[in-house]
Amino acid sequence: MRGLFTAGVTDVMMENGITYDLAVGVSAGVLFGCNYKSWQPGRAIRYNLTYCKNPHYGTFRSLFRSGDMYETEFCYETVPFRKDPFDSKTFRENPMEFWAVCTNLETGAPLYRKLEQGDRRDVRWMIASAAMPLVSRIVRIGWYELLDGGVSDSIPLKFAESRGCTKNVVVLTQPEGYVKERNPLMPLMRLQLRKYPEFLRTAEKRHEVYNAETAYAAEREQEGAAFVIRPEEALGISRVEKDPEELLRVYMMGRRVMTERMPELLKFLGR
């Protein structure tokens, strides 16, 4: 739910008519970022406020009943295709490339997938990108077995640069100076995912990779090649927050930060 900070940031960008050639999202960054390609500002905060107290939405009941803390049928079928429709048509027609990052369980490496249709097949890749270990089932797509992209590449700035992007906007959900520590749940992960040693090796080093990636983003920011947006302080919100006031607080923080920095962003983009 720290991703609602990002949703606030991107909603303000859309409201100001800012478009990009390419976007790449990881985990919640994919689930909420897809609304940029479908050009639906306000959708992410709307459906989160509406369904945050639903028993199928981020609860241990859902985890015990379905194997996913966010029940797949409700969150990725009922909500986006019936209750709060995702605009697949606009998604398809928008020329902006949109990529999801997943982690390949067999290799432990990040897997980048371009999403072009906004259909149920693309949604499967979004589910995989956001499937947190321990509280999500493994997502199988073709011959791939996948989980949370944040395990292998939380901040895919180098990937965007490899696609030819020379001016990159990076949205982080941790404040400047944040240092990720080793995951205290690794013993449980080693037990649950013991069949996937390469994934576990990647997960063991996730904090090191994350800290290196934040350092690289700061370096590119100093060089004028990246524009980094961060919260001014720790967001202080649970990954599965159920309080609508807390969700709205974090979303509004993202809106405020982006509104205040809009002149800088426009200058960076040469507009």
Side-chain angles (χ1 to χ4, degrees):
M1 287 306 169
R2 289 199 314 271
L4 286 174
F5 173 85
T6 304
V9 169
T10 55
D11 279 357
V12 170
M13 289 181 185
M14 282 189 275
E15 290 162 8
N16 281 269
I18 295 175
T19 59
Y20 295 98
D21 298 316
L22 179 148
V24 51
V26 185
S27 195
V30 167
L31 299 182
F32 301 159
C34 63
N35 295 297
Y36 210 120
K37 186 169 170 62
S38 67
W39 207 256
Q40 291 177 278
R43 181 173 176 270
I45 186 61
R46 182 175 63 245
Y47 71 70
N48 275 283
L49 291 178
T50 301
Y51 300 112
C52 62
K53 292 185 178 295
N54 189 289
H56 303 288
Y57 201 84
T59 65
F60 283 103
R61 171 185 166 180
S62 174
L63 178 62
F64 295 142
R65 287 169 64 96
S66 72
D68 294 303
M69 185 161 276
Y70 288 88
E71 186 180 298
T72 299
E73 177 67 23
F74 180 78
C75 297
Y76 300 108
E77 175 65 33
T78 302
V79 173
F81 293 105
R82 295 200 288 275
K83 291 186 175 293
D84 196 328
F86 180 67
D87 189 346
S88 298
K89 181 177 184 294
T90 299
F91 187 96
R92 286 192 303 272
E93 294 174 352
N94 186 340
M96 180 181 77
E97 289 187 20
F98 186 70
W99 293 78
V101 185
C102 307
T103 301
N104 185 327
L105 289 182
E106 183 180 354
T107 66
L111 180 63
Y112 306 94
R113 175 75 178 192
K114 186 160 81 167
L115 308 182
E116 301 180 277
Q117 301 301 314
D119 57 7
R120 286 170 174 81
R121 177 78 171 179
D122 279 356
V123 169
R124 286 290 293 166
W125 288 96
M126 296 180 197
I127 296 170
S129 180
M132 294 182 291
L134 301 179
V135 294
S136 305
R137 288 175 294 173
I138 293 169
V139 179
R140 293 175 171 84
I141 305 175
W143 56 82
Y144 293 116
E145 294 181 292
L146 307 164
L147 280 175
D148 185 0
V151 173
S152 56
D153 191 359
S154 295
I155 308 169
L157 173 56
K158 288 185 178 179
F159 171 77
E161 291 179 335
S162 76
R163 298 290 303 174
C165 300
T166 56
K167 283 192 172 185
N168 293 285
V169 178
V170 182
V171 185
L172 304 178
T173 59
Q174 297 286 6
E176 188 171 8
Y178 171 79
V179 176
K180 183 177 283 294
E181 303 291 340
R182 185 184 299 274
N183 187 348
L185 298 178
M186 276 307 304
L188 287 177
M189 207 180 297
R190 281 193 290 269
L191 179 64
Q192 185 190 66
L193 297 167
R194 57 190 177 276
K195 290 172 54 180
Y196 305 97
E198 294 302 324
F199 176 83
L200 291 173
R201 273 189 270 275
T202 298
E204 286 274 10
K205 297 180 179 179
R206 181 186 181 182
H207 62 295
E208 298 174 7
V209 173
Y210 177 91
N211 293 333
E213 289 184 329
T214 56
Y216 181 72
E219 176 185 325
R220 297 299 281 159
E221 183 180 31
Q222 288 295 317
E223 294 168 352
F227 186 92
V228 182
I229 302 165
R230 313 172 180 85
E232 297 166 345
E233 58 189 14
L235 296 177
I237 190 170
S238 164
R239 291 187 178 191
V240 290
E241 182 61 62
K242 308 294 287 181
D243 183 348
E245 291 186 4
E246 280 296 287
L247 301 182
L248 188 59
R249 175 185 66 82
V250 170
Y251 170 77
M252 293 304 296
M253 188 183 297
R255 289 191 62 91
R256 178 180 58 78
V257 169
M258 188 66 263
T259 299
E260 291 174 355
R261 299 198 63 195
M262 183 58 67
E264 295 175 63
L265 176 61
L266 293 174
K267 182 178 180 181
F268 172 78
L269 296 174
R271 300 186 183 184

